[in-house]
Amino acid sequence: MRLALALLLAICTVAAAQSGKPPPRFERNWDSLAKDGVHDPRSPAMRQLQEPREALSALPADSAGNQVRWVDALRDGSINPRSSLRPEAEVRLLETDIYMSRYGSVPAVRFPHREHTLWLDCSNCHEKLFKSKVGANEISMLRILQGEQCGQCHGAVAFPLTECARCHNTPRTPAKPRQAMESAR
Ligand code: HEC
Ligand code: HEC
Ligand code: HEC
């Protein structure tokens, strides 16, 4: 497991280092609407639709998922989505990061509220999906991989779960294992 994780993290780090400013060093490819298995190629409405390649190739590149780094697209102004269909809806932003480090076998997870509340309202997560209390949620990788917790969105509408290092992004301080060993003696 350790070795597999280290390999995955290494692959992800290489992938992350490659993404960013265009032109990307990897080839990006999107199925055309006629071939994506979702749209009916015989429908006359097809002519109204924009091809994914045309829309997405202009946005910051990602090597995974739908091949767009959406957080960067928002940050650098490539897209400027309306925050709500209802103009009177209040936009609630939160800047706090939560560090999750219950497991010594993996780098800690930094959950950024800011990058989430730029897209989502608090009620998308609180209080049903996550209790708004640090450590109150028994988050586990197994449940995430089964499409629960973070996996409700990641792997569905947000970057895929194969990008381990994008969540497990905070190295543990090397002092920790030594301290643990000393107290075990
Ligand atoms: C994408 C999901 C998501 C969204 C959206 C979200 N949160 Fe959270 N929030 C979390 C998670 C995950 C935790 C950490 C819970 C844990 O440690 O088990 C958390 C923790 C919290 C906490 C407790 C930690 C602290 O800093 O005191 C508060 C308060 C909180 N959120 C408020 C909000 C508010 C207010 C909003 C909207 C502005 C919001 N959250 C939006 C997922 C979300
Ligand atoms: C309700 C949907 C939702 C849930 C639940 C959710 N996320 Fe996200 N997350 C998003 C979206 C949308 C983005 C931005 C699009 C993208 O990066 O693909 C994002 C982006 C991120 C980023 C990237 C931030 C950056 O700077 O690039 C991290 C890290 C992240 N999420 C971690 C988590 C973790 C950890 C959890 C569970 C504790 C979680 N998310 C739960 C929707 C969600
Ligand atoms: C969307 C964010 C996200 C992604 C992507 C992600 N993880 Fe996790 N992972 C978490 C969170 C959150 C926890 C719980 C951390 C905690 O509570 O300390 C976790 C926990 C774990 C644990 C601890 C044991 C357990 O069963 O929970 C392991 C091991 C793990 N992840 C491995 C991986 C590997 C390998 C990948 C890539 C294939 C990966 N993770 C991708 C968010 C993520």
Side-chain angles (χ1 to χ4, degrees), residues 91-159:
V91 177
R92 297 189 284 179
L93 279 185
L94 189 64
E95 302 283 337
T96 48
D97 289 341
I98 314 268
Y99 288 89
M100 301 173 177
S101 61
R102 288 187 303 141
Y103 300 95
S105 57
V106 266
V109 172
R110 182 177 65 86
F111 171 83
H113 265 110
R114 179 181 167 75
E115 278 71 16
H116 285 90
T117 51
L118 283 171
W119 304 95
L120 300 158
D121 186 59
C122 319
S123 61
N124 287 125
C125 291
H126 298 309
E127 298 294 319
K128 269 202 184 136
L129 190 52
F130 297 113
K131 293 188 198 107
S132 58
K133 183 162 182 280
V134 170
N137 293 286
E138 293 289 319
I139 302 177
S140 91
M141 205 57 226
L142 185 63
R143 292 187 61 187
I144 295 173
L145 288 165
Q146 287 169 336
E148 297 170 39
Q149 302 177 327
C150 320
Q152 286 227 345
C153 299
H154 290 279
V157 295
F159 68 77

Side-chain angles (χ1 to χ4, degrees), residues 15-105:
Q18 283 180 349
S19 72
K21 297 270 171 289
R25 270 181 255 156
F26 43 84
E27 196 56 44
R28 289 199 289 174
N29 257 313
W30 292 272
D31 285 342
S32 68
L33 294 175
K35 291 189 184 149
D36 66 4
V38 177
H39 297 86
D40 176 1
R42 289 160 305 177
S43 163
M46 287 289 282
R47 270 173 279 139
Q48 312 268 326
L49 301 174
Q50 188 182 25
E51 286 294 337
R53 166 172 295 282
E54 191 193 326
L56 301 181
S57 59
L59 301 178
D62 196 349
S63 53
N66 57 18
Q67 304 168 75
V68 174
R69 195 79 188 230
W70 290 103
V71 169
D72 291 350
L74 201 58
R75 191 183 293 133
D76 72 13
S78 317
I79 56 170
N80 184 16
R82 201 186 303 189
S83 40
S84 174
L85 288 175
R86 293 176 291 125
E88 73 281 7
E90 185 200 356
V91 177
R92 297 189 284 179
L93 279 185
L94 189 64
E95 302 283 337
T96 48
D97 289 341
I98 314 268
Y99 288 89
M100 301 173 177
S101 61
R102 288 187 303 141
Y103 300 95
S105 57

